[in-house]
Amino acid sequence: MSASSERLERSAVALSLWVGGAGLAALKLSVYLATGSVLVRASMFDSLGDVFSSLIMALTQWKVNDTRDMHAYPLGKGRFVPLGVLFFCAFMCSTMLSMAVDALQCLISSEEDGAPAGPDVQAAVGSAMHDLFKQHPRLRLASWPTGSEALIAQYAAAAADAGSSGEDSAVPDIDTLSTSILCLCVATKIVLFFWCRYVCSKKSSEIVAALKADHFNDTFTNSMVIATMLLLHYASGSEYGGTWLTKVDPAVSLILSLWIVKGWVENAMEQFSVLSDQRAEEGDLEAIQQATQKALEGSPLQLQCADIIRVGDSAQRVQIELRPNEASAESEKVAALITKVEGSVRSASSDVSIVDVRLRSVTHTNDSNDW
């Protein structure tokens, strides 16, 4: 990777971590503290997940690009990225499932579990104030000149009005500042998405590609948060207001949480596929076979079989089995010696499944792809 491409990749990861992750999480936290919306809370935890994912990507990028310990990884560092993403998928699924359970509890809770109705509140407050004036008769002096009964009626009516309006208490209170902050979150994610897209066009990077997909998903979820909160805000003061408004926020939160979980489960399955050392595409294998046969033209060796195995997110491991021609006694002797080495290594350790043996010429010089 060139120095300019590495700087572009590093900038995409850094911006995703500090701007798209930590910065947006702090903004959503302030909106949640101001509104108390469970929908904003779900989106906030998603941004906290972005902080951890971007941090994992930053550490992974640093580790993969660190060439000081390449001797400790003879097959390369291709597994670092899928392992980090898989760890994060488990964390995000656990977090968002918890949010989904909370939203489901809000949906199935009955209205009777909430505050009492207005008439009940009025009767309770009136009875409590009568008892208070009986126990402390001198308090009646404070109600002069209207009298204690008028004061009791006034406070009981106010309590009844507050109780009757309790059905809208779960509707988020949206102000200009909160809406502006959420719009800023969407705009930030859009900018980060296009920046990661630009970096991917300059240099193919699995790390930046994952961040680009995450920014696209966050743009959609944050837009849903804004649309839902504005709908509740304006509907609560119109003729369409009612008890159903208290269920919209947790319903959308439930759908949003499950949608996020679905995305991360699919991502986890992709990482399992990457880590499982699956055989590569047949088209790649055919190209390897043709290149090997061309290189062996006129030699005492012939291609017996070849295979390509994916190692990590982008690396591939090619296994080629050669067989000497019957007319070449020297090649047959070398092949028998290599087979003997493989058998000896397997007998020395029962954990060995594959033995890689390389035969080099005396004049061969090591390169970056050698052990």
Side-chain angles (χ1 to χ4, degrees), residues 89 92-94 96-97 100 217 254-270:
C89 287
M92 274 305 301
C93 287
S94 175
M96 299 313 298
L97 282 176
N217 293 335
L254 176 63
I255 296 174
L256 186 60
S257 299
L258 293 179
W259 184 78
I260 294 173
V261 169
K262 175 180 176 294
W264 285 114
V265 168
E266 293 176 351
N267 198 334
M269 297 306 297
E270 293 178 2

Side-chain angles (χ1 to χ4, degrees), residues 22 73 91 178 195 260 268 272 300 314 324 330 346:
Y73 302 93
F91 166 78
S178 301
W195 176 249
I260 294 173
F272 276 121
S314 59
E330 291 297 328
R346 282 197 176 97

Side-chain angles (χ1 to χ4, degrees), residues 30-67:
S30 63
V31 176
Y32 170 66
L33 294 177
T35 63
S37 171
V38 296
L39 188 59
V40 176
R41 183 178 63 176
S43 181
M44 180 189 66
F45 273 97
D46 186 34
S47 293
L48 288 177
D50 289 341
V51 175
F52 286 103
S53 64
S54 299
L55 182 60
I56 291 173
M57 292 302 184
L59 294 176
T60 301
Q61 180 199 37
W62 170 76
K63 190 64 177 179
V64 170
N65 294 331
D66 185 13
T67 59

Side-chain angles (χ1 to χ4, degrees), residues 85-128:
V85 174
L86 188 61
F87 172 79
F88 171 70
C89 287
F91 166 78
M92 274 305 301
C93 287
S94 175
T95 303
M96 299 313 298
L97 282 176
S98 176
M99 296 294 99
V101 170
D102 291 342
L104 184 60
Q105 289 177 346
C106 293
L107 278 176
I108 63 178
S109 61
S110 62
E111 294 295 330
E112 297 176 356
D113 297 335
D120 295 336
V121 173
Q122 184 175 5
V125 171
S127 176

Side-chain angles (χ1 to χ4, degrees), residues 6 42 76 82 85 116 157 219 261 292 298 368:
E6 186 175 347
V85 174
T219 300
V261 169
T292 304
S368 59

